[in-house]
């Protein structure tokens, strides 16, 4: 097991074939190559209002079907550990916890964990996923925000009071 400083949890809203997920998988592979213990967490219940309805039930079925499967469309380093969790609550997390989409930022923000170790990879303004106010609220969370492109950083800084670290 790696040390706290060399352990990373990427929190994703899907493991499906999307450009954003591909970017995170590439980042995960890079960190694994550098000796980090990398975990990819696929959060299955991003919205609490799904509990008990058809979509929520289908997500549970999907969880049990795919629980131990790795995404076939991308060659992830075999050392990367994949989790499919319904929430981050009551999970033993060490190291860095990284939100990768605005919905996952909600979960990373509210989990009881060291704020100094909580990050938010901002890949886009993501206004197609939900209400603009909810998306932009995530930029105010006390997560260290990293834009993986200068263009995205400038676009979001113009529209919000968000502060980014590094690039």
């Amino acid at each position: 097991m790696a040390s706290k400083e060399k352990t990373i949890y990427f929190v994703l809203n899907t493991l499906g074939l999307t450009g954003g997920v591909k970017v995170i998988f590439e980042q995960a592979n890079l960190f694994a190559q550098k000796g980090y213990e990398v975990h990819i967490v696929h959060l299955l219940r991003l919205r609490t209002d799904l509990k008990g309805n058809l979509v929520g039930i289908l997500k549970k079925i999907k969880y049990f079907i795919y629980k131990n499967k790795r995404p076939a469309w991308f060659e992830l380093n075999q050392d990367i550990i994949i989790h499919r969790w319904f929430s981050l609550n009551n999970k033993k997390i060490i190291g860095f916890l990284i939100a990768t989409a605005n919905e996952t930022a909600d979960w990373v923000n509210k989990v009881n964990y060291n704020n100094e170790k909580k990050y938010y990879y901002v890949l886009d303004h993501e206004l197609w996923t939900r209400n603009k106010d909810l998306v932009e609220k995530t930029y105010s969370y006390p997560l260290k925000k990293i834009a993986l492109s200068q263009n995205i950083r400038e676009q979001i800084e113009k529209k919000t009071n968000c502060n980014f670290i590094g690039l």
Side-chain angles (χ1 to χ4, degrees):
M1 180 181 268
S3 72
K4 289 181 184 180
E5 289 76 33
K6 299 235 5 165
T7 302
I8 297 176
Y9 289 79
F10 289 100
V11 182
L12 284 87
N13 57 355
T14 182
L15 297 182
L17 175 55
T18 72
V21 172
K22 183 175 187 254
V23 167
I24 298 304
F25 284 177
E26 289 169 348
Q27 291 284 308
N29 277 347
L30 288 171
F31 279 106
Q33 288 170 1
K34 292 181 179 184
Y36 283 77
E37 180 179 295
V38 179
H39 299 257
I40 293 178
V41 176
H42 176 203
L43 276 182
L44 296 165
R45 187 186 301 140
L46 290 167
R47 295 175 29 209
T48 56
D49 63 327
L50 294 181
K51 190 172 184 173
N53 74 18
L54 181 59
V55 174
I57 292 166
L58 291 174
K59 282 187 173 269
K60 277 191 177 184
I61 292 169
K62 183 178 176 182
Y63 166 78
F64 288 109
I65 292 172
Y66 293 104
K67 183 177 180 182
N68 297 314
K69 292 187 179 181
R70 298 174 77 76
W73 63 270
F74 190 91
E75 194 169 325
L76 272 173
N77 182 309
Q78 287 302 307
D79 293 331
I80 294 173
I81 302 159
I82 298 191
H83 307 277
R84 286 179 174 85
W85 293 341
F86 287 103
S87 80
L88 296 175
N89 299 334
N90 304 315
K91 301 295 182 187
K92 183 172 168 79
I93 297 171
I94 62 167
F96 300 97
L97 185 59
I98 303 173
T100 62
N102 71 81
E103 301 100 327
T104 64
D106 290 338
W107 283 88
V108 169
N109 179 57
K110 73 179 181 179
V111 73
N112 185 14
Y113 190 66
N114 180 352
N115 278 350
E116 290 300 309
K117 301 278 187 175
K118 292 165 53 170
Y119 288 78
Y120 181 5
Y121 272 18
V122 180
L123 303 176
D124 206 333
H125 200 182
E126 295 186 306
L127 295 179
W128 62 88
T129 61
R130 60 185 180 161
N131 177 287
K132 177 184 176 189
D133 293 336
L134 292 174
V135 172
E136 292 184 352
K137 180 181 178 186
T138 66
Y139 304 136
S140 69
Y141 295 157
L143 309 174
K144 294 179 179 148
K145 286 159 268 319
I146 301 170
L148 295 184
S149 88
Q150 186 65 30
N151 184 40
I152 294 301
R153 178 184 183 150
E154 290 170 1
Q155 175 189 357
I156 293 173
E157 282 179 336
K158 261 194 252 182
K159 296 176 182 178
T160 69
N161 291 325
C162 179
N163 293 313
F164 287 88
I165 63 168
L167 182 62

